[in-house]
Amino acid sequence: MTIMIWTKKYIFGYSFIILLVLVSPSVFSQQLPVYIMQALVRPGVNPAYTGLDGIYDMVLLTRQQWVGIEGAPRSFYLASNVPLRSRRAGVGFVVQNQSSGPYMQSEFFLNYSYTVNISEMSTLSFGLRGGLNSYRIIVSDLRVIDQGDYLFENDVKNLIRLNFGTGIHYTVRNYFVDFSVPLLLRNEFSAEKSDKVGKENKGDRIFNIQTGAAYQVIEGFALRPALAVWFAKGTPPLIDIRLSTEIQDVVVFGLAYRVSGSFGGYFTFNILDNLLLGYAYELPLAYDYHLSSGTHEVVLGLDFQLFKRKTLSPRRF
């Protein structure tokens, strides 16, 4: 069924994409923000990273997508991770908020990880997360041409759902492989005064696989290729390819390409041993980029050095 919706500026194409991806309950319940500087926010996808060396004790990141387009997506990420004294476990929390037009989602999750040594050169970390998701969709603000679709009859206000997630992180020498399911439960969703809960009102699980390596080209200069893939039922996989360089464990420059149609670059800089600043820019390739100022990310990382030695690398891999 084709749904035609105009924003106040009557930008049909963007309104359709935002509504289809973020408003339809078959998709929005599992929607996860995918950041350009994802190496700094991995605990938000895979709890196995909680408290590991190379993960900052606190990370604050904001993402402004498709700047210049009314109702464009915005994301906010805040996480704190602390290794326990045993150095085999870590605890932390992740708070995220994302909004796009009439849609808003917030989450608060507690993370736990435990690491075992497989050999002298390899480790395996297990992670668990549990928390709450809150959803809000004001469909009454939209102008719907095709009337009678019950998905647009009532607003969704302050809908709260409990959920859990899990993940593993395996390293051997200078390589790593991850697998995670950020949200395990297929929660049901329905608007106020609506008793219609079918398959289109259930969220689908998202599966994430990541892999990468770190190559020391010369002393003080490293190359870090990485690949990430997101899978969800009924949608094509999202493939993210990136390559970054790290200089003296201080400056990182990187490039990222998403097969779905975007290209970006980023850099981070360690001002002090425990303070990191970063910026990223992403340009969409799937539509006329002249209508938007692109996507921007700004990140701040803090390392409190509470129960650990000096961080070996600001990005781990």
Side-chain angles (χ1 to χ4, degrees):
M1 179 181 64
T2 302
I3 301 171
M4 300 177 62
I5 296 174
W6 281 268
T7 62
K8 292 180 181 179
K9 292 184 178 181
Y10 300 96
I11 307 177
F12 165 74
Y14 304 107
S15 301
F16 178 80
I17 293 172
I18 292 172
L19 187 66
L20 181 63
V21 175
L22 296 178
V23 175
S24 174
S26 64
V27 179
F28 83 82
S29 61
Q30 297 293 321
Q31 195 70 65
L32 292 173
V34 181
Y35 301 100
I36 306 174
M37 295 185 284
Q38 61 181 270
L40 291 170
V41 297
R42 280 177 173 151
V45 176
N46 189 345
Y49 277 89
T50 304
L52 293 183
D53 283 341
I55 300 299
Y56 274 82
D57 292 336
M58 181 170 287
V59 172
L60 174 63
L61 184 147
T62 179
R63 175 180 171 87
Q64 308 293 315
Q65 189 170 337
W66 304 341
V67 173
I69 297 178
E70 185 178 357
R74 296 182 179 183
S75 302
F76 171 85
Y77 175 96
L78 173 65
S80 182
N81 305 274
V82 178
L84 300 180
R85 292 185 182 275
S86 66
R87 297 188 61 80
R88 289 182 176 271
V91 295
F93 70 84
V94 175
V95 177
Q96 294 193 77
N97 175 271
Q98 54 180 318
S99 62
S100 179
Y103 165 83
M104 178 179 292
Q105 175 185 344
S106 300
E107 73 168 40
F108 177 80
F109 277 79
L110 298 177
N111 287 2
Y112 174 81
S113 70
Y114 186 81
T115 301
V116 295
N117 294 323
I118 305 299
S119 67
E120 291 184 358
M121 296 293 182
S122 62
T123 63
L124 181 62
S125 300
F126 303 88
L128 293 172
R129 68 196 302 252
L132 300 173
N133 287 96
S134 174
Y135 304 92
R136 182 174 181 268
I137 308 178
I138 309 301
V139 295
S140 58
D141 290 343
L142 300 174
R143 298 181 60 187
V144 181
I145 302 303
D146 292 344
Q147 302 296 325
D149 189 339
Y150 72 88
L151 292 178
F152 298 90
E153 290 179 355
N154 300 289
D155 294 337
V156 176
K157 297 180 180 179
N158 301 322
L159 183 66
I160 297 177
R161 291 291 184 265
L162 176 69
N163 218 316
F164 302 90
T166 186
I168 59 174
H169 170 60
Y170 175 71
T171 65
V172 54
R173 296 182 183 273
N174 57 325
Y175 302 92
F176 79 92
V177 177
D178 298 343
F179 175 76
S180 65
V181 187
L183 299 173
L184 285 170
L185 300 183
R186 296 191 62 204
N187 287 325
E188 294 182 344
F189 302 87
S190 58
E192 291 183 11
K193 303 177 182 179
S194 175
D195 57 358
K196 300 176 181 179
V197 179
K199 62 180 181 179
E200 65 273 9
N201 296 77
K202 271 192 173 183
D204 289 318
R205 298 183 186 94
I206 289 180
F207 302 90
N208 177 246
I209 299 175
Q210 299 195 34
T211 184
Y215 300 104
Q216 195 76 23
V217 180
I218 58 175
E219 185 175 356
F221 182 84
L223 286 177
R224 302 179 181 275
L227 171 69
V229 184
W230 284 263
F231 299 93
K233 182 180 178 181
T235 61
L238 173 62
I239 302 174
D240 185 294
I241 304 170
R242 61 189 57 228
L243 177 66
S244 64
T245 62
E246 184 176 335
I247 304 173
Q248 298 294 339
D249 289 339
V250 175
V251 181
V252 172
F253 295 96
L255 297 174
Y257 171 70
R258 289 179 184 157
V259 178
S260 58
S262 68
F263 179 80
Y266 56 92
F267 75 90
T268 62
F269 179 71
N270 286 289
I271 299 177
L272 303 170
D273 287 342
N274 62 345
L275 177 62
L276 174 141
L277 292 176
Y279 171 77
Y281 178 79
E282 183 180 21
L283 185 68
L285 303 177
Y287 61 84
D288 192 347
Y289 60 85
H290 296 292
L291 297 178
S292 167
S293 299
T295 297
H296 306 266
E297 290 181 9
V298 178
V299 68
L300 170 67
L302 297 173
D303 194 343
F304 301 129
Q305 308 289 335
L306 292 180
F307 304 119
K308 58 185 178 180
R309 298 183 296 272
K310 182 179 178 180
T311 299
L312 298 178
S313 168
R315 297 180 69 88
R316 187 171 178 83
F317 284 100

